[in-house]
Amino acid sequence: MTFKKFLVTKTWGAIILLSWCNFSQAQSPEGITHSGQKTNQMPFPVSSYNELQNPTPTPVKLWNDSQKTIAGWGKTNKRYKKEKPVLKDSLSTDLNLQGWRGEKLSAQWVVSAGKKDLSLSVETSDLKNINNNQIISNEQIESAFVRYVLTDELNKDQKGACGHRVPANFDSTLVADVIDHKIKDFKVLKRTTRPGWLSIQVPQNTTPGSYSGTVKIKDGNKLLKKLVINIEVEERQLPDPKKWNFHLDLWQNPYAAARYYQTNLWSDEHFKAMEEDIHHYVNAGGKSITASIIDRPWDGQTHDAFHSMVRWTKKLDGTWDFSFDVFDKWVEFMMDLGVSKQINAYSMIPWKLSFAYFDEATNTTKHLKTKPGEEDYKNSWTAMLKAFAAHLKEKGWFDKTYIAMDERPMESMEEAMKVIKNADKDFKISFAGNSHPELFDVIDDYSITLSENYPDKIIQSRKKQGKTSTFYTSCSHPYPNSFTFSEPSETEWYGWYAANKKLDGYLRWAYNSWVMEPLLDSRYTTWAAGDTYFIYPGGRTSIRFEKLLAGIQAYEKIQFLKSEFKKNNNTNGLLKIDEILSSFTMDELSKTSASVIIEKAQKAFQSL
Amino acid sequence: MTFKKFLVTKTWGAIILLSWCNFSQAQSPEGITHSGQKTNQMPFPVSSYNELQNPTPTPVKLWNDSQKTIAGWGKTNKRYKKEKPVLKDSLSTDLNLQGWRGEKLSAQWVVSAGKKDLSLSVETSDLKNINNNQIISNEQIESAFVRYVLTDELNKDQKGACGHRVPANFDSTLVADVIDHKIKDFKVLKRTTRPGWLSIQVPQNTTPGSYSGTVKIKDGNKLLKKLVINIEVEERQLPDPKKWNFHLDLWQNPYAAARYYQTNLWSDEHFKAMEEDIHHYVNAGGKSITASIIDRPWDGQTHDAFHSMVRWTKKLDGTWDFSFDVFDKWVEFMMDLGVSKQINAYSMIPWKLSFAYFDEATNTTKHLKTKPGEEDYKNSWTAMLKAFAAHLKEKGWFDKTYIAMDERPMESMEEAMKVIKNADKDFKISFAGNSHPELFDVIDDYSITLSENYPDKIIQSRKKQGKTSTFYTSCSHPYPNSFTFSEPSETEWYGWYAANKKLDGYLRWAYNSWVMEPLLDSRYTTWAAGDTYFIYPGGRTSIRFEKLLAGIQAYEKIQFLKSEFKKNNNTNGLLKIDEILSSFTMDELSKTSASVIIEKAQKAFQSL
C-alpha cells in the first residue's frame, strides 16, 4: 500500500507532525487548526465542514460497471467505503425494526452517486399505526449524514494498537464514523458513496404495535428513493437512561472541549458548548463524572492535558489551602445534565509523581516531587483529603465520590490507600487496572481489563457489598474495540459481554479527549485512531458510540427480562437467557465477528 | 589601558558573561557562583572569602623605593589602592575626631606591607577621659578590614553611567569599598596595601569631654604600630536614628537576599539572614519599606527581579481575590527592625504593562495586559486598591502606605491617580521622577532628580501640608554618586545638599539589589558598578554607605542647631549656617571635590 502511505504522508502526515509541535502544548485557543477550517469551533454555530481528501484512489472500473445512482437501507453494523459503489443487492427498500417502548433504534441508509453529483437531503414522515391511527412523530426521528474521518490501523503485528505513532508508518484511510446531524442537505460528488443515519427514539408512552413510515431520499427537489421503515413496538418498557443499571464510565475531558471550542475554561461559553457533547453520555446512562484533583494526572498523554479542578495553595506559614470552586462548578454542570451517580477523582498516583501547587511565598506555581510512602506525600495528601472530605460532606457528595487510581505498582497503591483511609475511613476508592485478588475487598469501584475475569464468587460478593465491578478496553485490545476502524458491532458487544459476565458495566479512559481536528482526522501521536474519543465536536455522535448504546440497551433489556422471568418463576426463560449470553466470550469472538454473534443472540431473544 | 581590559576580559569578563546567561533568570538557590566561593552564603556563618585577582599590575618600582611596612591613620574620604604603597607622609599616628553624643564616627587606618606578608589584626582600647576617668568602652568601637571589589568606570563620555554594559568595554579595577567586620585577622600579602575601618558609636549618655585610646595594629603577636585616637565629645546630643528627620528611602530587595543566601523566600532563615543587612538602613534612619504589590514592577532590571508580595487571584466567577500574607510578613519584619514610618507600594505602572495573577479556572499564572485608561486596568486595580485599603486600615497602616510610582508618561500617571483616588480618596501617593508642577499638590512623597530643583515656595507649602520632598540620584549622574568607584565624600555630600536645599531627604532605587557576587565584583550588565547596591552581604557596610550616614548625621545636626539658634534668637548663627550650606550646590561641586567642600563646611561649623 505504498501509494496510500505516500499520499497521506505528503498531504497530512507531515503537516500534522509539524502542527503538533506548535499545538500540543497549547492551552490557549489561539491559532488555527491544520485544515484551516473552523470545524464547528466557536463561535457557534458552524455547522458544516469539508472532509479530508480521500487518500484511497477511486476504483474507476467498479463505478463504470454500475453507473446508476443506488439508494436503499444498509446495515448499522457496516462502515460503507466512500470510494466504492455499494452493492445494489445488499440494500433494501423496506426496513423492519423491533424495539421496546423507550428504546432508541438506529438505521443506516446508503447512497452511491453514479454519473452525477447529488444534492442530498432526507425527508422522514411520522410513523403510523394503521390499526389505531396512533403515531410515532417524526420529531422522534433524528436524521443525520454519516461523515468520513481519517483513520489508521492496528499495529503491524495485529496484536494491539499501543505505542507512539508516526502517520507514515501506518496505512491511512477514510472511514465512515461521524454521525453528523448538523447538516440538512449534503453535496455528494459523483462516484462516491454517502451513508446516512436515523435515530428513532420510541417514546415511553407509545402504544405497542406496528408503526410504518417513509424516508424520502432526495436529490434537490427530485425524489431519488422512497424507503419504508416499519417498527414493531413491544409492550415492555425501557426506562429513562438515568435509571439504567449499566455502569457506564467514559472519562470526560473538559480541557479538550475548551481548547477545541476556543472558549475560556469554565466560562459560560465553555459549558454551553459542552452540553451537546455530554448529552450523548447522559443518553447512554453515563454514571461517572471525571474530575481531576491534581494537575496532569496522566501527564500529557492526551492532546489536551487535564489540569487540576482543585487549587492547591501552600500558604506562607507552610500549611495547605484548597479551593474546590472549579470542581464544584464542573460537578454541578454534569449533575444538572443528569450524570449524578458518581464522581471519580483522579489521581493520587499520577504518572509523573510531581504535584503542582501555588506557592504563596514565591507567588509562583511549584512542584512537589514526592511519592507514596514519603512524609511529604502523606502530609500533603492528608491535608488535601481531609479538606476534600469536609467539602464533599458539605455538598452532600461524599458518598458518591471515589478517590480514583489507574494501575500503579501495588506498593504505591497500598501506601496511597493507607493515606486515604487515614484521612477518612469512609472514603470510597475506584481503581482501573489488573485483577488483584488482594484488592477485591478494598476497591469500591473496580474495573479490570477485558483480558481478565473476576472470579465468579467475587462478582457476587462485591455485588452484595454494593461494590461496582466493570471491565475496560484499551489500546492493548485489537478487538473488540472502539477505534474508528473497528467493526461497529464490537462496541455493541460490550453490553452483551457485561450481561454474560454479570459485570456492572464498562469503562473507557476517553470520551472526548479530542485530537487536534477530531472531525477530520482521528489519528493521534499514540495508539490507533479514535482511541482517545468516542464522540465528535458539536454534539455529533458516532457509529461506534451508537453501537455502544445499542449494547447497553441490550444489557438493560436482559436485566429486565431476567427479573421478569424470576418474578414469574420462568426458569426455562432464565436458562435460555444464560444460554444465549454464553456466546459472548472472548473465545467465541475470536472465531466469528461481533455482528454475527449479536444478530444470532437478538434472534434468539425474539423467540423468548 | 589595553592590558587591564584584556586581563579582565580573560579572567572574569568572559566567565561572567557565560555565567550570567545561566544565572540571570534563576530564582532558585541552586548552582554555585562564578568564583566557586561561598561568599557568606548560607548556611551561616561563612565569614571569610578571597578577593578577586587584581587586574592592575603592581608598580614594582614604587615598592622597591619604599620597602618598609607602613601603617597609620589615613582619611575616610579616600579609597586606597591595593597595588600601591601608601605615602608615609600622608598618614598620621594621632587622630583627632569631634562628635556629638549619640553620633557614629568613622576612622580609616592603612597598612602597606613591604617586603613580607603580614598577619594583620587590630586591638582597640577603651577611650578614656583623663579628667574624670570615664570611658567610652571599646565595645562601642567596631573594627573592620576594608576589602577590595571589582569595579568599572563611568561611560566613556564621562556624562553618566546608564546603559547596557559588556565588561570588556570598560576598564575594570579593584576598589576599596567593602567594610568587612566579619574577620578578626587578615593575611596581607607583601607589596599590597590594606586599609581598616573603625566605627565609634558615641553613647548618648557620654559625659562631654576628651576621650583618648589606642589602636594597636599587629602582625601576628608583634606590634606593628600603635595609633592614638582622641575624641572630643560635645554636649549636644544626636537622638536615636529612628527619631531622625532625614527621609532616607533606599529600596530594599528581599528577593536578592533570598537568592544570595540560598534560603526559601520568607522563611525564617531568609529573615534571619536579612537582619544584619537591614540593620545598616535602620541605623541610618531608613524611613521607607519597599513593597512590591505586583510581580516584576521593574520587569527584570535587577539581577533578582522583585515579585509580588500580594497574591492576585482571579476567582472562577471572575471576581478578584487578594492575599496580603507575604506583604504583612515583610512589613512586620521591617517594622520590628525599626523601619516604621512609611510603606511604599510598587507599582501601578510597571515598566512592562503586564500584570501577573493566579487564574483559578486554569489553575495557572496568567498575565493581564492592560494600561492606565483601559477598563480592565480600572476594574482590576480598583478591586485591588479597595481590598488593599481595607486590609491596611485593619492593620493600622493605611496612613503610612503610599501607592508608589516611578516616572511614567504623565497621561498614564494621571489615569492611575484617578483610579487610586476613586478606590480611596485618602490613599497617599509617592512618586520618583521629574519635577512636574501639576503634581506638586497631589503627590504626598515626591522625589525629584538631583538635576532639578523644587521651586522654593513649593518646598515650603509642601512642608506645611505634611508632604515629603526629597531628591534622588541615578545612573544619569556622573557625580555625586555612589558607584563603587565614586569618591566616598560624594554620598556624604547628599545630607549637606539636602540641608541647603531644605529637602526632607534622599531616595535611591537600590539598597541591596545585589549582582551575582556582590562581595567580589560590583559590576553589572547595566549601569556603572555599584549602582544596584549600597551594602554588602553578611551585614557588611561600605565606605559609600558610611559616608552617606555621615552626611545624614550632618543634616540632623544642622536641623538641631537651627532649631536651637531659633529658640535662642541667634539670628547671626542662623545666617552663618545658611552661608556655610550655600556651598552645597551642583555648581560648586563642579568646581571642586565633595571632600574639600565638606571639610571646609565642617571647620566652619566648629567655629559656630
Side-chain angles (χ1 to χ4, degrees):
Chain A
M1 293 270 194
T2 314
F3 175 74
K4 274 199 273 179
K5 265 196 228 173
F6 174 76
L7 190 79
V8 171
T9 313
K10 291 292 277 187
T11 38
W12 296 110
I15 298 168
I16 289 163
L17 279 178
L18 276 172
S19 306
W20 189 80
C21 298
N22 296 328
F23 286 93
S24 65
Q25 300 299 319
Q27 293 311 314
S28 84
E30 286 153 22
I32 52 159
T33 51
H34 69 277
S35 72
Q37 297 183 57
K38 297 195 84 183
T39 50
N40 212 70
Q41 293 172 21
M42 293 292 280
F44 279 134
V46 177
S47 55
S48 73
Y49 67 92
N50 297 318
E51 290 163 12
L52 294 186
Q53 200 189 326
N54 195 343
T56 309
T58 303
V60 178
K61 194 180 171 306
L62 291 180
W63 290 98
N64 284 339
D65 293 348
S66 137
Q67 299 206 15
K68 276 197 182 161
T69 288
I70 302 160
W73 290 114
K75 291 190 162 182
T76 55
N77 60 25
K78 208 165 149 42
R79 299 188 191 275
Y80 294 91
K81 285 277 175 197
K82 185 175 188 178
E83 67 279 1
K84 271 190 177 173
V86 66
L87 289 176
K88 200 179 174 182
D89 294 350
S90 71
L91 304 183
S92 64
T93 302
D94 284 24
L95 179 70
N96 299 309
L97 299 173
Q98 291 81 31
W100 290 15
R101 297 189 293 162
E103 191 171 352
K104 188 181 180 190
L105 302 171
S106 294
Q108 187 171 211
W109 53 259
V110 199
V111 168
S112 287
K115 284 186 290 185
K116 65 179 201 68
D117 299 348
L118 305 176
S119 179
L120 214 60
S121 66
V122 173
E123 214 177 279
T124 58
S125 73
D126 293 338
L127 308 184
K128 268 191 195 156
N129 185 327
I130 47 165
N131 296 327
N132 57 15
N133 248 355
Q134 291 201 329
I135 60 160
I136 294 174
S137 159
N138 77 352
E139 283 172 17
Q140 302 298 329
I141 306 172
E142 187 161 76
S143 173
F145 289 92
V146 173
R147 306 291 305 267
Y148 290 93
V149 65
L150 210 59
T151 191
D152 50 17
E153 54 178 347
L154 291 176
N155 289 346
K156 290 299 180 188
D157 62 6
Q158 304 293 312
K159 285 184 179 161
C162 300
H164 182 76
R165 300 198 147 204
V166 172
N169 296 342
F170 293 87
D171 264 0
S172 296
T173 55
L174 280 188
V175 70
D177 190 52
V178 188
I179 297 180
D180 187 357
H181 61 293
K182 292 271 168 125
I183 27 172
K184 293 305 156 205
D185 53 79
F186 193 79
K187 187 171 172 92
V188 178
L189 295 181
K190 62 181 175 182
R191 296 184 166 177
T192 65
T193 286
R194 175 65 46 183
W197 197 270
L198 294 186
S199 295
I200 306 105
Q201 180 63 55
V202 182
Q204 300 272 0
N205 60 0
T206 307
T207 307
S210 296
Y211 291 79
S212 280
T214 57
V215 176
K216 290 180 185 161
I217 312 283
K218 294 168 77 179
D219 173 23
N221 290 324
K222 188 187 139 201
L223 180 67
L224 208 62
K225 184 87 181 181
K226 186 172 159 185
L227 301 173
V228 175
I229 184 165
N230 304 310
I231 298 181
E232 186 67 35
V233 178
E234 296 180 31
E235 170 74 29
R236 291 192 182 95
Q237 208 176 29
L238 195 61
D240 184 85
K242 283 167 202 162
K243 293 179 187 155
W244 293 353
N245 294 312
F246 192 82
H247 189 88
L248 179 65
D249 183 0
L250 307 178
W251 300 0
Q252 313 100 52
N253 186 344
Y255 300 92
R259 183 266 307 171
Y260 188 84
Y261 294 123
Q262 306 191 4
T263 59
N264 287 327
L265 261 176
W266 319 121
S267 63
D268 291 349
E269 295 72 28
H270 181 209
F271 284 112
K272 185 77 204 146
M274 285 191 292
E275 269 182 23
E276 288 186 306
D277 301 324
I278 300 298
H279 170 77
H280 297 291
Y281 184 53
V282 175
N283 281 357
K287 292 288 179 280
S288 184
I289 302 168
T290 310
S292 42
I293 53 173
I294 62 158
D295 193 53
R296 301 171 75 89
W298 303 281
D299 203 12
Q301 71 167 341
T302 47
H303 183 89
D304 302 282
F306 286 74
H307 297 290
S308 185
M309 296 174 184
V310 175
R311 170 160 61 78
W312 294 58
T313 304
K314 192 165 209 171
K315 304 266 289 177
L316 189 58
D317 64 8
T319 60
W320 288 100
D321 181 62
F322 302 92
S323 157
F324 301 100
D325 289 359
V326 170
F327 173 85
D328 290 352
K329 200 167 177 182
W330 165 242
V331 167
E332 279 159 12
F333 165 77
M334 289 296 285
M335 287 187 170
D336 285 349
L337 290 184
V339 183
S340 56
K341 182 188 173 194
Q342 183 164 329
I343 302 161
N344 273 21
Y346 296 90
S347 170
M348 280 183 70
I349 319 180
W351 291 24
K352 190 173 162 189
L353 285 160
S354 171
F355 300 88
Y357 63 94
F358 186 81
D359 181 54
E360 203 163 72
T362 55
N363 218 357
T364 57
T365 296
K366 288 201 164 188
H367 292 82
L368 177 65
K369 288 175 182 59
T370 186
K371 55 177 193 287
E374 292 179 352
E375 271 304 292
D376 271 356
Y377 182 90
K378 189 180 144 192
N379 294 339
S380 53
W381 273 107
T382 300
M384 155 62 185
L385 291 170
K386 280 181 187 281
F388 194 34
H391 178 75
L392 291 169
K393 284 171 186 176
E394 204 184 302
K395 283 280 183 185
W397 297 340
F398 184 77
D399 290 338
K400 54 179 71 180
T401 301
Y402 292 64
I403 304 301
M405 292 179 276
D406 335 40
E407 183 83 29
R408 297 286 98 186
M410 182 54 72
E411 201 185 306
S412 295
M413 294 195 293
E414 279 171 347
E415 288 289 349
M417 285 187 286
K418 262 192 244 169
V419 175
I420 297 170
K421 294 296 181 184
N422 179 55
D424 195 312
K425 67 177 176 41
D426 296 325
F427 248 132
K428 287 181 178 151
I429 301 175
S430 173
F431 173 67
N434 287 331
S435 162
H436 297 289
E438 61 272 51
L439 295 182
F440 287 147
D441 267 352
V442 184
I443 305 293
D444 302 276
D445 173 30
Y446 206 137
S447 192
I448 62 170
T449 162
L450 171 61
S451 324
E452 292 192 304
N453 286 296
Y454 299 93
D456 278 348
K457 275 189 183 168
I458 291 299
I459 290 275
Q460 290 162 26
S461 79
R462 287 180 55 81
K463 223 181 269 286
K464 270 182 205 151
Q465 294 170 57
K467 292 184 162 70
T468 307
S469 311
T470 66
F471 76 102
Y472 70 85
T473 56
S474 73
C475 66
S476 65
H477 306 103
Y479 63 92
N481 218 319
S482 52
F483 305 123
T484 39
F485 56 78
S486 297
E487 195 202 338
S489 296
E490 289 176 17
T491 51
E492 186 172 4
W493 182 90
Y494 294 164
W496 295 90
Y497 173 80
N500 179 38
K501 295 287 183 180
K502 298 185 173 57
L503 297 170
D504 296 312
Y506 169 71
L507 174 151
R508 190 163 174 98
W509 76 279
Y511 176 64
N512 69 324
S513 276
W514 290 323
V515 295
M516 187 165 49
E517 291 234 74
L519 282 163
L520 304 182
D521 185 351
S522 63
R523 300 175 305 168
Y524 187 47
T525 49
T526 339
W527 319 301
D531 193 314
T532 68
Y533 60 108
F534 246 123
I535 53 123
Y536 291 86
R540 293 173 176 94
T541 180
S542 67
I543 293 183
R544 301 174 283 155
F545 190 79
E546 291 307 303
K547 286 309 222 177
L548 174 73
L549 170 63
I552 294 169
Q553 291 189 130
Y555 178 95
E556 291 299 317
K557 287 161 77 174
I558 293 161
Q559 307 312 310
F560 185 93
L561 283 179
K562 278 176 134 181
S563 97
E564 183 187 304
F565 290 178
K566 264 180 210 155
K567 206 155 69 183
N568 304 342
N569 290 320
N570 182 350
T571 319
N572 190 36
L574 286 168
L575 284 173
K576 276 223 163 147
I577 290 180
D578 283 348
E579 196 197 316
I580 299 168
L581 292 178
S582 67
S583 62
F584 288 90
T585 61
M586 285 298 282
D587 218 36
E588 285 298 315
L589 192 62
S590 68
K591 292 178 206 153
T592 182
S593 78
S595 62
V596 170
I597 299 170
I598 292 167
E599 261 175 47
K600 213 176 123 190
Q602 282 171 330
K603 267 185 200 143
F605 259 98
Q606 278 159 38
S607 68
L608 277 184
Chain B
M1 293 271 196
T2 312
F3 175 74
K4 274 199 270 177
K5 266 196 230 175
F6 174 77
L7 190 80
V8 170
T9 313
K10 292 291 278 186
T11 38
W12 297 111
I15 298 168
I16 289 163
L17 278 177
L18 276 171
S19 306
W20 190 78
C21 296
N22 296 328
F23 285 93
S24 66
Q25 299 300 321
Q27 292 311 315
S28 83
E30 286 152 22
I32 52 159
T33 50
H34 68 276
S35 71
Q37 297 184 56
K38 298 193 83 182
T39 51
N40 212 68
Q41 293 173 20
M42 293 291 281
F44 279 134
V46 177
S47 56
S48 74
Y49 67 91
N50 297 318
E51 291 162 14
L52 294 185
Q53 199 189 326
N54 194 344
T56 309
T58 303
V60 179
K61 192 180 173 304
L62 289 181
W63 289 98
N64 284 340
D65 292 349
S66 137
Q67 301 206 13
K68 275 198 179 163
T69 287
I70 301 160
W73 291 113
K75 290 190 162 178
T76 55
N77 58 26
K78 208 165 151 39
R79 300 188 190 277
Y80 295 92
K81 286 276 173 197
K82 185 174 187 178
E83 66 278 1
K84 270 190 174 173
V86 67
L87 289 177
K88 198 178 176 184
D89 293 349
S90 73
L91 305 183
S92 65
T93 303
D94 284 26
L95 178 71
N96 298 310
L97 300 173
Q98 290 82 30
W100 289 14
R101 297 189 292 161
E103 190 170 354
K104 188 181 180 190
L105 303 171
S106 293
Q108 186 171 211
W109 53 258
V110 200
V111 168
S112 287
K115 286 184 292 187
K116 67 181 201 66
D117 297 348
L118 305 176
S119 179
L120 214 61
S121 66
V122 173
E123 214 176 280
T124 58
S125 73
D126 293 339
L127 307 184
K128 268 191 194 155
N129 184 326
I130 47 166
N131 295 326
N132 58 16
N133 248 355
Q134 292 200 329
I135 60 161
I136 295 174
S137 158
N138 75 354
E139 283 173 15
Q140 303 298 328
I141 305 172
E142 187 160 76
S143 174
F145 289 93
V146 173
R147 305 292 303 268
Y148 290 93
V149 65
L150 210 59
T151 192
D152 50 17
E153 54 178 347
L154 290 176
N155 289 346
K156 290 299 181 186
D157 63 5
Q158 303 294 310
K159 284 182 180 162
C162 300
H164 183 75
R165 299 197 148 205
V166 173
N169 296 342
F170 294 86
D171 264 1
S172 295
T173 55
L174 281 187
V175 70
D177 190 52
V178 188
I179 296 180
D180 186 356
H181 61 293
K182 292 270 168 125
I183 27 171
K184 293 303 155 207
D185 53 81
F186 193 81
K187 186 169 171 98
V188 178
L189 295 180
K190 62 182 177 182
R191 295 184 167 177
T192 66
T193 287
R194 175 65 46 183
W197 197 271
L198 294 185
S199 295
I200 307 106
Q201 180 62 55
V202 181
Q204 301 271 359
N205 61 0
T206 308
T207 307
S210 296
Y211 291 79
S212 281
T214 57
V215 176
K216 289 179 185 161
I217 312 283
K218 293 167 76 178
D219 173 21
N221 291 324
K222 187 186 140 202
L223 180 67
L224 207 61
K225 185 86 181 181
K226 186 172 162 186
L227 301 174
V228 174
I229 182 165
N230 303 310
I231 298 181
E232 186 66 36
V233 177
E234 295 180 33
E235 170 73 30
R236 291 193 181 93
Q237 209 177 28
L238 196 61
D240 184 85
K242 283 166 203 164
K243 294 179 186 155
W244 293 354
N245 294 312
F246 192 83
H247 189 87
L248 180 64
D249 182 1
L250 308 177
W251 300 0
Q252 313 100 52
N253 186 343
Y255 301 91
R259 183 266 306 173
Y260 188 87
Y261 294 124
Q262 306 191 3
T263 59
N264 288 327
L265 261 176
W266 317 121
S267 63
D268 290 349
E269 295 73 26
H270 181 208
F271 284 110
K272 184 78 204 145
M274 285 191 292
E275 269 183 24
E276 287 186 307
D277 301 324
I278 300 298
H279 170 77
H280 296 293
Y281 185 52
V282 174
N283 281 357
K287 293 288 179 279
S288 185
I289 302 169
T290 309
S292 42
I293 53 173
I294 62 159
D295 193 53
R296 301 172 75 90
W298 303 281
D299 203 14
Q301 71 167 344
T302 48
H303 183 89
D304 302 282
F306 286 74
H307 297 292
S308 186
M309 296 173 184
V310 174
R311 170 159 61 79
W312 293 58
T313 304
K314 192 166 209 170
K315 304 266 288 177
L316 188 57
D317 63 8
T319 60
W320 288 101
D321 181 64
F322 303 91
S323 157
F324 301 100
D325 289 359
V326 170
F327 173 84
D328 289 352
K329 200 166 177 183
W330 166 243
V331 167
E332 278 160 11
F333 165 76
M334 289 296 285
M335 286 186 172
D336 285 349
L337 290 186
V339 183
S340 57
K341 181 189 172 195
Q342 181 164 331
I343 302 161
N344 274 21
Y346 295 91
S347 171
M348 280 182 72
I349 319 180
W351 291 25
K352 191 173 162 188
L353 285 159
S354 170
F355 300 89
Y357 64 93
F358 186 81
D359 181 53
E360 204 163 71
T362 54
N363 218 357
T364 56
T365 296
K366 288 202 163 187
H367 291 83
L368 176 66
K369 287 175 184 61
T370 186
K371 56 177 192 288
E374 293 179 350
E375 271 304 290
D376 271 357
Y377 183 90
K378 189 181 142 191
N379 294 339
S380 54
W381 273 107
T382 299
M384 156 61 185
L385 291 170
K386 279 180 187 282
F388 195 33
H391 179 75
L392 291 169
K393 283 170 186 176
E394 203 184 304
K395 282 282 185 183
W397 297 341
F398 183 78
D399 290 337
K400 54 179 71 179
T401 301
Y402 293 64
I403 304 301
M405 293 179 274
D406 341 38
E407 183 84 29
R408 297 285 99 186
M410 181 56 69
E411 201 184 307
S412 296
M413 295 194 293
E414 280 171 346
E415 288 289 349
M417 285 187 285
K418 262 192 246 168
V419 175
I420 297 170
K421 293 297 181 183
N422 178 55
D424 195 313
K425 68 177 175 44
D426 296 326
F427 248 132
K428 287 181 180 156
I429 301 175
S430 172
F431 172 68
N434 287 332
S435 163
H436 297 289
E438 62 271 50
L439 295 181
F440 287 147
D441 266 353
V442 184
I443 304 295
D444 302 277
D445 173 30
Y446 205 138
S447 192
I448 61 171
T449 161
L450 171 62
S451 323
E452 292 192 302
N453 286 295
Y454 298 94
D456 278 348
K457 274 189 182 166
I458 291 298
I459 290 274
Q460 290 163 25
S461 78
R462 287 181 55 81
K463 221 181 270 285
K464 271 182 203 152
Q465 293 170 56
K467 292 183 161 70
T468 307
S469 312
T470 66
F471 77 103
Y472 71 84
T473 56
S474 72
C475 65
S476 65
H477 305 105
Y479 62 92
N481 218 319
S482 53
F483 305 122
T484 38
F485 55 78
S486 296
E487 195 203 337
S489 297
E490 289 176 17
T491 50
E492 185 173 5
W493 182 90
Y494 294 163
W496 295 89
Y497 172 80
N500 179 36
K501 295 286 182 179
K502 298 186 173 56
L503 298 170
D504 295 313
Y506 170 72
L507 174 152
R508 192 166 171 94
W509 76 280
Y511 176 64
N512 69 325
S513 277
W514 290 324
V515 295
M516 186 163 52
E517 291 234 73
L519 282 164
L520 304 182
D521 185 351
S522 63
R523 300 175 305 168
Y524 187 48
T525 50
T526 338
W527 319 301
D531 193 315
T532 69
Y533 61 107
F534 246 124
I535 53 122
Y536 291 86
R540 293 174 176 95
T541 180
S542 67
I543 293 183
R544 300 173 283 155
F545 191 79
E546 292 306 302
K547 285 308 218 179
L548 174 73
L549 170 63
I552 294 169
Q553 291 188 127
Y555 179 95
E556 292 298 317
K557 287 161 77 174
I558 292 162
Q559 307 311 312
F560 184 94
L561 282 179
K562 278 174 136 185
S563 97
E564 183 187 303
F565 289 180
K566 264 178 210 157
K567 207 154 68 180
N568 304 342
N569 291 319
N570 182 350
T571 319
N572 192 35
L574 287 167
L575 284 173
K576 275 219 161 154
I577 290 179
D578 284 349
E579 196 197 316
I580 299 167
L581 292 179
S582 67
S583 62
F584 289 90
T585 61
M586 285 297 282
D587 219 37
E588 286 297 314
L589 193 62
S590 68
K591 293 178 206 155
T592 183
S593 78
S595 63
V596 169
I597 299 171
I598 292 167
E599 260 175 48
K600 212 177 123 190
Q602 283 170 328
K603 269 186 199 141
F605 261 98
Q606 278 159 39
S607 70
L608 276 184

